[in-house]
Amino acid sequence: MEIFNIENKDAINITNCDEEPIHIPGSIQPHGYLLALHKKDLTVAFCSNNCPNLFGKPTTALLGAAIGSLITEEELTTLQTKLTEEKPDYSQPIVFTINGQECNVLVHMRGDWTVLEIEPFPDGRMNLPDLYSYTSNFVTHINQADTLQALCQAIAQQTRDITGYDRVMIYRFDDNYNGEVFAEALRDDLLPFLGHHYPHTDIPVQARQLYMLNMMRMIVDIDYAPVPIVTKNKDADNTQLDLSLSILRSVSSIHLEYLRNMGVKATLTISLIQDNKLWGMISCHHYTARNIPYFTRLSALLQGHFLTSQIRVREVQEEYKRWKQIENTLHTLQETINHSPNFVEEILGNKELLEMTDATGAIIGYNGLIESTGDVPKGAELDKMIAALRTAAKGQMYSTAKLKDIIALGSDYAGAIFIPLTEQDFIIWLKPEIVKHIYWAGNPTKAVEMDKGTSRLTPRKSFELYAEEVKDQSTPWSTPELRGAGELAYALQNQLLIKYAQENELRYKQMNAKLTHLNTELSTFNWISSHDLKEPLRKIQILISSITHSSREPQVNDKVTHTLTRIEQSARNMQTYVDDIALYSKVDTSGVPVPVDLNNVIERVLKTNGWNDDERYQFSIAKMPTVLGYKDQLELLFKNLFDNATKFSNGNVQISVDCKLANSDNSMAGNYYEISLTDNGIGFEHMYAEKIFLIFQRLHNRDKYPGSGIGLALCKKIMTNHNGDITARSTAGEGSVFKLYFPQDKTEN
């Protein structure tokens, strides 16, 4: 039977390692053995090429064999039981004795396969961990460690005690996955790496993804020769066997070269996962080959679980401690805001405003003014900064430790918090630049270098300490500082809104007093128009009439008669204006609106004005609704509209009135009755569609079409009184369409 090797032979180098499919290498490390079984019948589909050494059978005999033929019946039952568990714990191995050799067997399922990873005990014995002792020690560490870093240091030391590795480091990643050695336990003769930083390129994206899936990874000897995985299926390749969950999975040659350049011979890595994200890792280094029992590894993994259970607790604890400091300051400032009439000036004069956020300057913009305290930009530079922050904030709270990303202001201003209070008002805190030195394990800009001997790119060989100077950044704004800034801004916003409301209330009272005075004057004017002006006009008309028509008066010449006639006509026009002004002023909403049937209104208007009996006028009236309103005003509305249609006509007048349910042309909210009044009159140009509703606006000669020009303005006012609208559409010479929009009466619905 022919055997086929599925080991991945694709050429991988430093230029394409970020694309290397490290989860499907098609090979394993030689300190263990691998079988991949068909899920359905548990027959061997793949095996590592070293399996004959363990089972004492050739590869040809292993491939296709039922697993029951390779282990005891009791072991098969144990395996089958594990596979049928609802939630099997694949981190807990089972123990098989194969050819007299005791082995740990890890079982996991991936795709179509049940994968068995077999590791003989390194020292021939199964040493179970002292879980009570480890747990007891961890509780002691929790009680004694004041900070997260102190706890990490204790975990690093205990992990080294358990595993015996030369160096144990706890990495912490930043947001970009650059790593920092946060804690370290090591042999006395080794140089410490504590505080060193490693660029994110040291751990490619696909490697970080595997660390999320498989929390523990061991390399026994970086100089191992990979053991290929084989199968009898000639069409199979490395892509068919996913080893993401495998602990024996062969390692990228690039990573092995990286470790070789560091002088490391063996490693154990444990993932530290927090909030479904890789927070960091426990990284164990040894400078000679090292294989530790699986249960010892589990003990180290337990340390990782202990630590991850405390990471968020310690971070929150440290944040809470800072928050309590800020909260006391915040309470003092809030009291000032709530009880002082000059609260803006007073909080700016309180040094705690800056101490609360560890800032060096603060600015408050309110009511068109800009006040500040501490070190802040001046003049045009200040205006530019405010504009840049307002743009970046987009109406929300905005913070940055690198202000230079949006505007360059120099080293005095590197960090900012901007919080809008109203559309125009705001508060800003500022921090200066803090020049920071980051110590990298090797130059991060030279993660790869050219090998002089082979002329190929390799991982960096030098891990000599490299100091990077970071400028243009402030210290980061902490979560408690941002929370404190937000709560203070909220209190300030509320008090400013109250202040503005009080100022507006005073302004409205003053305006109301002026309006009351003006209304009184207007009422007086209306009374004068209705009474005092009418009386002289009547006397003028009577006197002129007596002069021109009395037989007792001497004859006057034609010129005088013409002049007197014009005076009399002007008096009549003035009388009309006075009457219309009085009528316009009386149309108000002082009464109580009642349901009004528009059918009755239109019928009464037609009958009262004699339009029903005049053959010159043809009316087509559809069924009208009942609306909530003022009966007298509605009669005046339709009288003016019909009067307008009959006046501006060319003889035979045709008027149709229709009604339907629709939305207003002016996008008024809600449902409206749309009543359309269409005539065949002289019409008007479209440009005058709004002008015709203005008081005293006329489009035609008064001699031909008499009137004051107040009729349609009166219609507009009546529709406004009814919470409705009126529009007009026309073409000169082709008639007009007036549309009335009445709100639906909810009681009718």
Side-chain angles (χ1 to χ4, degrees), residues 734-748:
E734 297 182 9
S736 304
V737 178
F738 288 85
K739 291 187 178 182
L740 310 176
Y741 295 93
F742 288 96
Q744 270 191 282
D745 183 4
K746 295 181 180 179
T747 58
E748 184 181 358

Side-chain angles (χ1 to χ4, degrees), residues 613-679:
D613 302 326
D614 196 324
E615 295 180 354
R616 293 175 299 168
Y617 308 123
Q618 299 178 28
F619 287 88
S620 174
I621 311 295
K623 181 174 176 56
M624 294 290 113
T626 296
V627 300
L628 198 63
Y630 308 94
K631 181 172 177 292
D632 292 343
Q633 291 186 29
L634 293 171
E635 288 184 359
L636 183 59
L637 169 71
F638 283 98
K639 175 187 178 301
N640 282 349
L641 289 173
F642 290 157
D643 189 49
N644 193 72
T646 57
K647 181 194 300 182
F648 298 100
S649 66
N650 289 319
N652 186 28
V653 179
Q654 296 179 0
I655 301 173
S656 65
V657 184
D658 296 308
C659 179
K660 67 177 182 178
L661 193 63
N663 290 323
S664 166
D665 282 353
N666 292 341
S667 301
M668 297 168 64
N671 292 325
Y672 284 75
Y673 293 116
E674 178 188 286
I675 297 176
S676 301
L677 190 151
T678 306
D679 64 49

Side-chain angles (χ1 to χ4, degrees), residues 478-491:
S478 68
T479 299
E481 288 169 352
L482 292 173
R483 177 183 171 186
E487 293 200 13
L488 182 71
Y490 179 72

